[in-house]
Amino acid sequence: MQTPPPPPIPSLGAGPAPGLVYGGFGVRLVALIIDGIILGLISGAVSSILGIGFIGWYGVGPDTFRLGLGFGVGWFVYVLLNAAISGAYFVYSWTHGNATPGQRILNLEVRNAADGTPIAQDRAIKRWFFLVLPIINSIPVLGILVALYNLFLAYTTYSDPAKQGFHDKQAGTVVVRRMA
């Protein structure tokens, strides 16, 4: 009696649905770097238009004030602005097209881990939250914790057979490549 062949092994590329394979660690990292560059340009432009930077509001006069490096109103506004830009960028991209611009360039998509369907806004928000939790990197004292968290995300993504990082597992998502 012949035994049936084993099901596809995730590390060999089988995805959560026909025509989808798991996106590898390296290609995902490159997509994230591309998105980081795009976000940096957007954030820099918006911050410049508003006159906000890491050191606070620029300029002198009765209606402006300068804050030194570190904490203060300018820093707080800067962090909130960057969080809002990042959230809008990632959540909108994942829910309207299944991928960020960096992921699209590399033919990647974010999908529901259970069945490969597009993700809803609640999953996108949850995934974004766990992916960019290091937004606290704006607090210099916590820099080492941010670095450790980023290493943790990289390790969990790299070591998982389906390349699901901690942020993917928390949101029930997976990054895939669409096979033509």
Side-chain angles (χ1 to χ4, degrees):
M1 177 160 121
Q2 263 186 339
T3 59
I9 300 171
S11 63
L12 296 178
L20 300 176
V21 296
Y22 295 114
F25 175 77
V27 70
R28 289 179 64 171
L29 181 60
V30 171
L32 188 60
I33 290 169
I34 292 168
D35 288 325
I37 291 168
I38 294 169
L39 269 171
L41 292 171
I42 293 169
S43 176
V46 172
S47 293
S48 293
I49 290 167
L50 296 177
I52 301 170
F54 183 72
I55 60 170
W57 267 280
Y58 300 121
V60 289
D63 297 329
T64 60
F65 46 92
R66 194 176 240 340
L67 300 170
L69 286 173
F71 309 102
V73 175
W75 167 83
F76 185 71
V77 171
Y78 180 77
V79 170
L80 288 179
L81 176 67
N82 283 305
I85 291 169
S86 170
Y89 177 87
F90 282 107
V91 172
Y92 181 84
S93 295
W94 292 330
T95 57
H96 293 82
N98 308 320
T100 63
Q103 291 169 329
R104 272 191 217 107
I105 290 169
L106 298 170
N107 198 28
L108 296 172
E109 294 181 355
V110 177
R111 297 297 190 107
N112 186 318
D115 58 11
T117 58
I119 63 171
Q121 187 171 358
D122 61 331
R123 282 188 194 270
I125 291 170
K126 195 170 188 180
R127 185 175 196 273
W128 169 78
F129 177 79
F130 282 100
L131 179 64
V132 299
L133 186 63
I135 198 77
I136 61 172
N137 69 354
S138 299
I139 304 172
V141 178
L142 299 178
I144 189 69
L145 296 177
V146 171
L148 291 173
Y149 183 75
N150 284 328
L151 286 174
F152 173 70
L153 288 181
Y155 173 76
T156 57
T157 303
Y158 179 78
S159 64
D160 188 79
K163 302 304 175 206
Q164 259 188 308
F166 176 75
H167 57 295
D168 287 309
K169 291 198 185 267
Q170 296 307 306
T173 61
V174 68
V175 176
V176 296
R177 277 190 153 174
R178 179 177 292 284
M179 302 308 291

